Amino acid sequence: MKVYISMDAEGISGIYKLSQVMSPNKEYEFARRMMANDINAAAEGAFNAGATRVIVNDAHNNGDNLLIDQLDERIELISGGIRDLGMAQGVEKGADAALLIGYHRRKGAKGVISHTYSYGSMVEIKLNGKQISEHDLVGYCIGSFEIPVVFLSGDDLTVSDAKDSIPGLFTVITKECISNNAALCYHPKKNAYNISKTVEDALKSYKTIKPMKVNGIINLDVQFSAEIQARMASSIKNAVCLNENTVRYSGSEYLEVYKSFMQGAYLAAMF
């Protein structure tokens, strides 16, 4: 069994404010240890369930957060910031099941460090008219490769959203949200135990969970913070400006729309 893991930072154990997950700050090294804590726990659960290969995508910011010497030696790690599939990079190598570790809620919603894909450039993303979070955005890309998302960890509100999106999803709540910058955090050792055990259970049942799919024409509408960001992000294939701040990426297959979105996101981030 091959297992794919996409890791973000905001839903990781012990994380409750933005400065912890930004590299210039003194608390960032603590966050890196906490990321390794949760990833190693997920990998342990995967290997206990019979995994023969575990690929981890360091999907937070520039993909340079996890230190490979702090990880289980059986893990294969994707690092680096320029990636065609972004937070889903590595899924193209194939897997039987996917895990989302340390995920968070969308911008504007109550949640620990809630935001939508990019701190500085994006206000919201809608998929066929419905506001979505990153677990949806990434989950549908993973589903394009016929791989089910079977597990997610994050704060209590993120977990609630994800369960609505993915029937049968296994989850672990790492903290309870108080505000965007505060949380009731559970001890990382407790979270590690729960993550390991729940991932093992999820992978033993992965065939009961269906890959995330979108049928028909796909419209991915992205509202940017600034007009220039939208203008830059609309200069690629499958993109059109709906107004001065919103770009629509359209197509008949989610993967092609997602790739166009990724190209637009990189262009918008230049501003």
Side-chain angles (χ1 to χ4, degrees), residues 34-77:
M34 293 299 96
M35 293 177 205
N37 175 84
D38 290 9
I39 286 296
N40 282 332
E44 178 183 39
F47 288 119
N48 288 344
T52 56
R53 187 182 192 188
V54 173
I55 293 178
V56 175
N57 179 22
D58 184 343
H60 176 64
N61 279 359
N62 293 319
D64 55 359
N65 309 282
L66 288 167
L67 297 174
I68 198 165
D69 63 351
Q70 293 182 357
L71 301 182
D72 186 309
E73 64 184 13
R74 295 169 291 182
I75 289 173
E76 299 171 48
L77 177 63

Side-chain angles (χ1 to χ4, degrees), residues 6-260:
S6 173
M7 185 213 74
D8 208 350
E10 293 80 5
I12 290 290
S13 297
I15 303 302
Y16 61 91
K17 60 181 179 178
L18 180 59
S19 62
Q20 291 176 298
V21 297
M22 303 299 285
S23 59
N25 297 300
K26 63 182 181 180
E27 295 171 289
Y28 175 65
E29 291 305 318
F30 165 77
R32 299 178 97 173
R33 295 198 303 273
M34 293 299 96
M35 293 177 205
N37 175 84
D38 290 9
I39 286 296
N40 282 332
E44 178 183 39
F47 288 119
N48 288 344
T52 56
R53 187 182 192 188
V54 173
I55 293 178
V56 175
N57 179 22
D58 184 343
H60 176 64
N61 279 359
N62 293 319
D64 55 359
N65 309 282
L66 288 167
L67 297 174
I68 198 165
D69 63 351
Q70 293 182 357
L71 301 182
D72 186 309
E73 64 184 13
R74 295 169 291 182
I75 289 173
E76 299 171 48
L77 177 63
I78 295 173
S79 301
I82 304 300
R83 297 165 288 188
D84 291 342
L85 297 183
M87 295 181 73
Q89 193 67 43
V91 74
E92 74 282 358
K93 295 182 178 296
D96 294 291
L99 319 175
L100 305 182
I101 304 295
Y103 270 59
H104 58 82
R105 228 172 167 209
R106 61 178 173 79
K107 186 178 179 68
K110 184 178 180 181
V112 179
I113 325 178
S114 56
H115 66 281
T116 298
Y117 202 83
S118 171
Y119 295 127
S121 62
M122 294 183 197
V123 176
E124 70 174 18
I125 302 176
K126 289 184 177 180
L127 176 60
N128 290 345
K130 179 183 178 181
Q131 273 192 316
I132 60 172
S133 294
E134 288 174 28
H135 67 263
D136 300 300
L137 181 73
V138 176
Y140 284 117
C141 180
I142 293 170
S144 298
F145 292 87
E146 304 300 328
I147 301 168
V149 175
V150 301
F151 174 89
L152 177 143
S153 67
D155 71 36
D156 56 327
L157 301 177
T158 303
V159 163
S160 179
D161 284 353
K163 283 186 170 181
D164 287 340
S165 297
I166 311 169
L169 182 70
F170 288 74
T171 61
V172 165
I173 295 171
T174 57
K175 70 200 84 175
E176 296 174 27
C177 175
I178 295 173
S179 72
N180 188 267
N181 214 40
L184 173 65
C185 296
Y186 304 151
H187 197 281
K189 288 184 178 179
K190 175 182 177 181
N191 285 339
Y193 174 83
N194 289 335
I195 290 170
S196 180
K197 182 65 173 66
T198 309
V199 164
E200 183 177 354
D201 292 342
L203 291 174
K204 288 179 178 178
S205 304
Y206 79 88
K207 292 182 180 180
T208 66
I209 300 175
K210 296 180 179 179
M212 296 175 70
K213 294 285 187 179
V214 187
N215 297 318
I217 295 298
I218 295 144
N219 290 317
L220 195 67
D221 297 341
V222 183
Q223 183 182 352
F224 290 91
S225 301
E227 179 274 338
I228 183 62
Q229 292 168 333
R231 181 150 43 96
M232 294 173 73
S234 66
S235 62
I236 59 173
K237 180 183 177 181
N238 301 325
V240 62
C241 277
L242 298 182
N243 55 51
E244 66 177 5
N245 290 93
T246 306
V247 178
R248 169 168 289 176
Y249 301 96
S250 297
S252 58
E253 296 181 359
Y254 186 84
L255 184 59
E256 67 172 321
V257 173
Y258 178 84
K259 286 181 176 179
S260 295

